[in-house]
């Protein structure tokens, strides 16, 4: 076979440092999700859906066949940290937590994971981030 093919679906999760509610403003949160999707595209990763609440984000995307997951996550966090600090003086001390979670999913799971990510605000009315993260 003369070409390399890969389609690895990733559900990624990471939170703000100390789970500070930096993304409480709905417009800022929406812009953050758009930034994450744009960065993924530039990295050659197909963005499927972004979501989250005031203190963490969820991403569903197809991993580029030429990049390592750690490189993708590092670049997402680096670029969005720079962007949010530049965007708003009130977020000058913004930071993401040092770690992240990444979980592979199958194609049949896309609808359920997409719905889960889209419904984050409703989900977190009943479940804390810590409990959610442990269950993932």
């Amino acid at each position: 076979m003369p070409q390399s093919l890969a389609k690895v679906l990733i559900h990624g999760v990471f939170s703000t440092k100390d789970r500070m509610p930096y993304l409480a403003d709905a417009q800022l949160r929406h812009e953050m999700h758009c930034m994450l999707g744009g960065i993924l595209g530039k990295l050659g990763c197909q963005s499927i859906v972004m979501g989250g609440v005031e203190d963490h984000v969820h991403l569903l995307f197809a991993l580029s066949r030429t990049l390592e997951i750690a490189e993708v996550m590092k670049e997402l966090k680096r670029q969005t940290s720079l962007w949010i600090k530049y965007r708003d003086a009130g977020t000058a001390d913004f930071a993401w937590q040092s770690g992240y979670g990444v979980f592979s999913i199958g194609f049949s799971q896309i609808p359920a994971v997409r719905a889960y990510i889209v419904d984050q605000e409703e989900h977190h009315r009943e479940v804390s981030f810590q409990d959610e993260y442990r269950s993932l």
Side-chain angles (χ1 to χ4, degrees):
M1 179 184 300
Q3 59 182 314
S4 299
L5 301 172
K7 190 75 164 191
V8 178
L9 300 172
I10 300 293
H11 176 191
V13 183
F14 51 90
S15 76
T16 58
K17 187 172 184 180
D18 299 324
R19 290 189 297 282
M20 296 294 293
Y22 286 111
L23 304 174
D25 178 73
Q27 178 62 34
L28 176 61
R29 189 166 52 247
H30 173 74
E31 289 176 27
M32 175 63 76
H33 298 160
C34 290
M35 283 293 301
L36 290 162
I39 295 164
L40 284 168
K42 289 178 184 173
L43 293 173
C45 297
Q46 178 191 3
S47 172
I48 299 171
V49 67
M50 308 296 127
V53 292
E54 66 273 356
D55 64 354
H56 70 280
V57 296
H58 287 259
L59 319 118
L60 180 58
F61 63 96
L63 182 62
S64 165
R65 74 170 182 82
T66 61
L67 296 176
E68 297 175 3
I69 190 65
E71 184 179 352
V72 171
M73 299 305 276
K74 177 182 175 183
E75 197 58 22
L76 285 168
K77 291 164 74 173
R78 184 187 74 78
Q79 287 191 38
T80 53
S81 289
L82 293 171
W83 167 78
I84 199 168
K85 289 175 183 181
Y86 176 78
R87 181 195 180 276
D88 189 331
T91 55
D93 58 345
F94 177 88
W96 293 111
Q97 71 178 11
S98 60
Y100 56 83
V102 290
F103 312 94
S104 63
I105 70 161
F107 284 92
S108 65
Q109 295 171 293
I110 291 174
V113 174
R114 179 192 299 269
Y116 177 77
I117 290 173
V118 168
D119 293 335
Q120 279 292 292
E121 288 184 43
E122 182 67 30
H123 175 73
H124 284 289
R125 288 190 182 119
E126 299 176 17
V127 179
S128 71
F129 174 70
Q130 295 89 332
D131 289 341
E132 172 188 55
Y133 198 73
R134 285 185 202 113
S135 72
L136 289 172

PDB file of all heavy atoms in Angstrom, residues 8-12 40 45-50 59-64 69 72-73 76 102:
ATOM      1  N   VAL A   8      -8.205   8.151  13.863  1.00  0.00           N
ATOM      2  CA  VAL A   8      -8.283   7.899  15.295  1.00  0.00           C
ATOM      3  C   VAL A   8      -9.101   9.023  15.907  1.00  0.00           C
ATOM      4  O   VAL A   8      -8.710  10.198  15.838  1.00  0.00           O
ATOM      5  CB  VAL A   8      -6.870   7.839  15.927  1.00  0.00           C
ATOM      6  CG1 VAL A   8      -6.969   7.625  17.422  1.00  0.00           C
ATOM      7  CG2 VAL A   8      -6.032   6.755  15.262  1.00  0.00           C
ATOM      8  N   LEU A   9     -10.232   8.678  16.487  1.00  0.00           N
ATOM      9  CA  LEU A   9     -11.113   9.668  17.107  1.00  0.00           C
ATOM     10  C   LEU A   9     -10.740   9.854  18.571  1.00  0.00           C
ATOM     11  O   LEU A   9     -10.584   8.875  19.310  1.00  0.00           O
ATOM     12  CB  LEU A   9     -12.566   9.221  16.983  1.00  0.00           C
ATOM     13  CG  LEU A   9     -13.063   9.042  15.550  1.00  0.00           C
ATOM     14  CD1 LEU A   9     -14.448   8.417  15.544  1.00  0.00           C
ATOM     15  CD2 LEU A   9     -13.070  10.372  14.815  1.00  0.00           C
ATOM     16  N   ILE A  10     -10.621  11.111  18.976  1.00  0.00           N
ATOM     17  CA  ILE A  10     -10.173  11.458  20.322  1.00  0.00           C
ATOM     18  C   ILE A  10     -11.210  12.329  21.028  1.00  0.00           C
ATOM     19  O   ILE A  10     -11.689  13.315  20.470  1.00  0.00           O
ATOM     20  CB  ILE A  10      -8.838  12.239  20.270  1.00  0.00           C
ATOM     21  CG1 ILE A  10      -7.742  11.412  19.599  1.00  0.00           C
ATOM     22  CG2 ILE A  10      -8.420  12.726  21.656  1.00  0.00           C
ATOM     23  CD1 ILE A  10      -7.309  10.188  20.363  1.00  0.00           C
ATOM     24  N   HIS A  11     -11.533  11.954  22.259  1.00  0.00           N
ATOM     25  CA  HIS A  11     -12.308  12.801  23.165  1.00  0.00           C
ATOM     26  C   HIS A  11     -11.299  13.349  24.156  1.00  0.00           C
ATOM     27  O   HIS A  11     -10.749  12.609  24.972  1.00  0.00           O
ATOM     28  CB  HIS A  11     -13.394  11.985  23.865  1.00  0.00           C
ATOM     29  CG  HIS A  11     -14.179  12.764  24.874  1.00  0.00           C
ATOM     30  ND1 HIS A  11     -15.043  12.153  25.745  1.00  0.00           N
ATOM     31  CD2 HIS A  11     -14.236  14.086  25.172  1.00  0.00           C
ATOM     32  CE1 HIS A  11     -15.597  13.066  26.523  1.00  0.00           C
ATOM     33  NE2 HIS A  11     -15.116  14.246  26.185  1.00  0.00           N
ATOM     34  N   GLY A  12     -11.017  14.641  24.062  1.00  0.00           N
ATOM     35  CA  GLY A  12     -10.051  15.282  24.944  1.00  0.00           C
ATOM     36  C   GLY A  12     -10.739  16.165  25.970  1.00  0.00           C
ATOM     37  O   GLY A  12     -11.799  16.739  25.694  1.00  0.00           O
ATOM     38  N   LEU A  40      -7.126  23.105  15.842  1.00  0.00           N
ATOM     39  CA  LEU A  40      -7.129  21.711  15.405  1.00  0.00           C
ATOM     40  C   LEU A  40      -7.026  21.627  13.883  1.00  0.00           C
ATOM     41  O   LEU A  40      -6.269  20.817  13.343  1.00  0.00           O
ATOM     42  CB  LEU A  40      -8.384  20.990  15.901  1.00  0.00           C
ATOM     43  CG  LEU A  40      -8.392  20.607  17.373  1.00  0.00           C
ATOM     44  CD1 LEU A  40      -9.792  20.170  17.800  1.00  0.00           C
ATOM     45  CD2 LEU A  40      -7.367  19.518  17.661  1.00  0.00           C
ATOM     46  N   CYS A  45      -5.981  18.219  12.193  1.00  0.00           N
ATOM     47  CA  CYS A  45      -6.927  17.375  12.929  1.00  0.00           C
ATOM     48  C   CYS A  45      -8.339  17.817  12.561  1.00  0.00           C
ATOM     49  O   CYS A  45      -8.642  19.010  12.596  1.00  0.00           O
ATOM     50  CB  CYS A  45      -6.725  17.530  14.438  1.00  0.00           C
ATOM     51  SG  CYS A  45      -5.116  17.011  15.039  1.00  0.00           S
ATOM     52  N   GLN A  46      -9.195  16.879  12.237  1.00  0.00           N
ATOM     53  CA  GLN A  46     -10.578  17.204  11.906  1.00  0.00           C
ATOM     54  C   GLN A  46     -11.368  17.450  13.186  1.00  0.00           C
ATOM     55  O   GLN A  46     -11.546  16.553  14.008  1.00  0.00           O
ATOM     56  CB  GLN A  46     -11.212  16.070  11.116  1.00  0.00           C
ATOM     57  CG  GLN A  46     -12.665  16.311  10.787  1.00  0.00           C
ATOM     58  CD  GLN A  46     -13.347  15.066  10.235  1.00  0.00           C
ATOM     59  OE1 GLN A  46     -12.747  14.002  10.139  1.00  0.00           O
ATOM     60  NE2 GLN A  46     -14.612  15.209   9.905  1.00  0.00           N
ATOM     61  N   SER A  47     -11.849  18.670  13.359  1.00  0.00           N
ATOM     62  CA  SER A  47     -12.655  19.033  14.517  1.00  0.00           C
ATOM     63  C   SER A  47     -14.086  18.533  14.315  1.00  0.00           C
ATOM     64  O   SER A  47     -14.672  18.734  13.259  1.00  0.00           O
ATOM     65  CB  SER A  47     -12.639  20.559  14.669  1.00  0.00           C
ATOM     66  OG  SER A  47     -13.531  20.978  15.653  1.00  0.00           O
ATOM     67  N   ILE A  48     -14.642  17.888  15.339  1.00  0.00           N
ATOM     68  CA  ILE A  48     -16.017  17.396  15.261  1.00  0.00           C
ATOM     69  C   ILE A  48     -16.937  18.250  16.127  1.00  0.00           C
ATOM     70  O   ILE A  48     -17.943  18.758  15.656  1.00  0.00           O
ATOM     71  CB  ILE A  48     -16.100  15.897  15.638  1.00  0.00           C
ATOM     72  CG1 ILE A  48     -15.243  15.089  14.653  1.00  0.00           C
ATOM     73  CG2 ILE A  48     -17.551  15.420  15.647  1.00  0.00           C
ATOM     74  CD1 ILE A  48     -15.061  13.637  15.020  1.00  0.00           C
ATOM     75  N   VAL A  49     -16.586  18.438  17.408  1.00  0.00           N
ATOM     76  CA  VAL A  49     -17.387  19.290  18.282  1.00  0.00           C
ATOM     77  C   VAL A  49     -16.536  19.717  19.481  1.00  0.00           C
ATOM     78  O   VAL A  49     -15.672  18.969  19.945  1.00  0.00           O
ATOM     79  CB  VAL A  49     -18.699  18.583  18.747  1.00  0.00           C
ATOM     80  CG1 VAL A  49     -18.411  17.407  19.647  1.00  0.00           C
ATOM     81  CG2 VAL A  49     -19.659  19.553  19.409  1.00  0.00           C
ATOM     82  N   MET A  50     -16.782  20.938  19.948  1.00  0.00           N
ATOM     83  CA  MET A  50     -16.133  21.476  21.151  1.00  0.00           C
ATOM     84  C   MET A  50     -17.237  21.866  22.119  1.00  0.00           C
ATOM     85  O   MET A  50     -18.317  22.263  21.703  1.00  0.00           O
ATOM     86  CB  MET A  50     -15.336  22.756  20.848  1.00  0.00           C
ATOM     87  CG  MET A  50     -14.357  22.691  19.714  1.00  0.00           C
ATOM     88  SD  MET A  50     -13.043  21.551  20.013  1.00  0.00           S
ATOM     89  CE  MET A  50     -13.177  20.583  18.532  1.00  0.00           C
ATOM     90  N   LEU A  59     -13.287  18.209  23.798  1.00  0.00           N
ATOM     91  CA  LEU A  59     -13.054  18.277  22.361  1.00  0.00           C
ATOM     92  C   LEU A  59     -13.260  16.890  21.775  1.00  0.00           C
ATOM     93  O   LEU A  59     -12.824  15.906  22.363  1.00  0.00           O
ATOM     94  CB  LEU A  59     -11.610  18.696  22.069  1.00  0.00           C
ATOM     95  CG  LEU A  59     -11.017  19.788  22.922  1.00  0.00           C
ATOM     96  CD1 LEU A  59      -9.834  19.273  23.698  1.00  0.00           C
ATOM     97  CD2 LEU A  59     -10.608  20.926  22.064  1.00  0.00           C
ATOM     98  N   LEU A  60     -13.896  16.833  20.641  1.00  0.00           N
ATOM     99  CA  LEU A  60     -13.992  15.581  19.902  1.00  0.00           C
ATOM    100  C   LEU A  60     -13.414  15.863  18.531  1.00  0.00           C
ATOM    101  O   LEU A  60     -13.864  16.776  17.830  1.00  0.00           O
ATOM    102  CB  LEU A  60     -15.444  15.110  19.789  1.00  0.00           C
ATOM    103  CG  LEU A  60     -15.673  13.802  19.034  1.00  0.00           C
ATOM    104  CD1 LEU A  60     -14.895  12.638  19.651  1.00  0.00           C
ATOM    105  CD2 LEU A  60     -17.162  13.473  18.981  1.00  0.00           C
ATOM    106  N   PHE A  61     -12.372  15.100  18.171  1.00  0.00           N
ATOM    107  CA  PHE A  61     -11.693  15.354  16.907  1.00  0.00           C
ATOM    108  C   PHE A  61     -11.003  14.098  16.413  1.00  0.00           C
ATOM    109  O   PHE A  61     -10.791  13.149  17.168  1.00  0.00           O
ATOM    110  CB  PHE A  61     -10.683  16.499  17.052  1.00  0.00           C
ATOM    111  CG  PHE A  61      -9.553  16.238  18.016  1.00  0.00           C
ATOM    112  CD1 PHE A  61      -8.318  15.772  17.564  1.00  0.00           C
ATOM    113  CD2 PHE A  61      -9.709  16.477  19.372  1.00  0.00           C
ATOM    114  CE1 PHE A  61      -7.273  15.540  18.453  1.00  0.00           C
ATOM    115  CE2 PHE A  61      -8.663  16.254  20.267  1.00  0.00           C
ATOM    116  CZ  PHE A  61      -7.444  15.774  19.800  1.00  0.00           C
ATOM    117  N   ALA A  62     -10.659  14.127  15.131  1.00  0.00           N
ATOM    118  CA  ALA A  62      -9.872  13.057  14.526  1.00  0.00           C
ATOM    119  C   ALA A  62      -8.419  13.497  14.547  1.00  0.00           C
ATOM    120  O   ALA A  62      -8.073  14.568  14.049  1.00  0.00           O
ATOM    121  CB  ALA A  62     -10.341  12.782  13.103  1.00  0.00           C
ATOM    122  N   LEU A  63      -7.575  12.691  15.125  1.00  0.00           N
ATOM    123  CA  LEU A  63      -6.158  12.999  15.263  1.00  0.00           C
ATOM    124  C   LEU A  63      -5.465  12.960  13.906  1.00  0.00           C
ATOM    125  O   LEU A  63      -5.677  12.034  13.115  1.00  0.00           O
ATOM    126  CB  LEU A  63      -5.514  11.981  16.208  1.00  0.00           C
ATOM    127  CG  LEU A  63      -4.041  12.143  16.527  1.00  0.00           C
ATOM    128  CD1 LEU A  63      -3.772  13.464  17.243  1.00  0.00           C
ATOM    129  CD2 LEU A  63      -3.565  10.975  17.384  1.00  0.00           C
ATOM    130  N   SER A  64      -4.629  13.950  13.659  1.00  0.00           N
ATOM    131  CA  SER A  64      -3.804  13.961  12.454  1.00  0.00           C
ATOM    132  C   SER A  64      -2.911  12.724  12.458  1.00  0.00           C
ATOM    133  O   SER A  64      -2.399  12.316  13.496  1.00  0.00           O
ATOM    134  CB  SER A  64      -2.930  15.213  12.445  1.00  0.00           C
ATOM    135  OG  SER A  64      -1.890  15.095  11.506  1.00  0.00           O
ATOM    136  N   ILE A  69      -0.427  12.809  20.058  1.00  0.00           N
ATOM    137  CA  ILE A  69      -1.499  13.428  20.844  1.00  0.00           C
ATOM    138  C   ILE A  69      -0.949  14.458  21.829  1.00  0.00           C
ATOM    139  O   ILE A  69      -1.542  15.519  22.014  1.00  0.00           O
ATOM    140  CB  ILE A  69      -2.377  12.362  21.550  1.00  0.00           C
ATOM    141  CG1 ILE A  69      -3.623  13.013  22.149  1.00  0.00           C
ATOM    142  CG2 ILE A  69      -1.618  11.605  22.611  1.00  0.00           C
ATOM    143  CD1 ILE A  69      -4.571  13.585  21.148  1.00  0.00           C
ATOM    144  N   VAL A  72      -0.413  17.731  20.054  1.00  0.00           N
ATOM    145  CA  VAL A  72      -1.676  18.404  19.764  1.00  0.00           C
ATOM    146  C   VAL A  72      -2.211  19.092  21.017  1.00  0.00           C
ATOM    147  O   VAL A  72      -2.582  20.268  20.984  1.00  0.00           O
ATOM    148  CB  VAL A  72      -2.717  17.413  19.185  1.00  0.00           C
ATOM    149  CG1 VAL A  72      -4.096  18.061  19.077  1.00  0.00           C
ATOM    150  CG2 VAL A  72      -2.255  16.881  17.836  1.00  0.00           C
ATOM    151  N   MET A  73      -2.255  18.379  22.119  1.00  0.00           N
ATOM    152  CA  MET A  73      -2.799  18.950  23.355  1.00  0.00           C
ATOM    153  C   MET A  73      -1.950  20.132  23.833  1.00  0.00           C
ATOM    154  O   MET A  73      -2.483  21.162  24.256  1.00  0.00           O
ATOM    155  CB  MET A  73      -2.914  17.874  24.434  1.00  0.00           C
ATOM    156  CG  MET A  73      -3.841  16.719  24.044  1.00  0.00           C
ATOM    157  SD  MET A  73      -5.507  17.241  23.573  1.00  0.00           S
ATOM    158  CE  MET A  73      -6.253  17.363  25.183  1.00  0.00           C
ATOM    159  N   LEU A  76      -2.746  23.121  21.566  1.00  0.00           N
ATOM    160  CA  LEU A  76      -4.072  23.676  21.858  1.00  0.00           C
ATOM    161  C   LEU A  76      -4.028  24.568  23.095  1.00  0.00           C
ATOM    162  O   LEU A  76      -4.545  25.685  23.092  1.00  0.00           O
ATOM    163  CB  LEU A  76      -5.081  22.542  22.091  1.00  0.00           C
ATOM    164  CG  LEU A  76      -5.561  21.780  20.872  1.00  0.00           C
ATOM    165  CD1 LEU A  76      -6.313  20.528  21.291  1.00  0.00           C
ATOM    166  CD2 LEU A  76      -6.434  22.666  19.994  1.00  0.00           C
ATOM    167  N   VAL A 102      -7.278  12.178  27.511  1.00  0.00           N
ATOM    168  CA  VAL A 102      -7.626  11.852  26.127  1.00  0.00           C
ATOM    169  C   VAL A 102      -8.101  10.408  26.083  1.00  0.00           C
ATOM    170  O   VAL A 102      -7.511   9.533  26.714  1.00  0.00           O
ATOM    171  CB  VAL A 102      -6.473  12.072  25.129  1.00  0.00           C
ATOM    172  CG1 VAL A 102      -6.177  13.537  24.945  1.00  0.00           C
ATOM    173  CG2 VAL A 102      -5.232  11.326  25.525  1.00  0.00           C
TER     174      VAL A 102
END
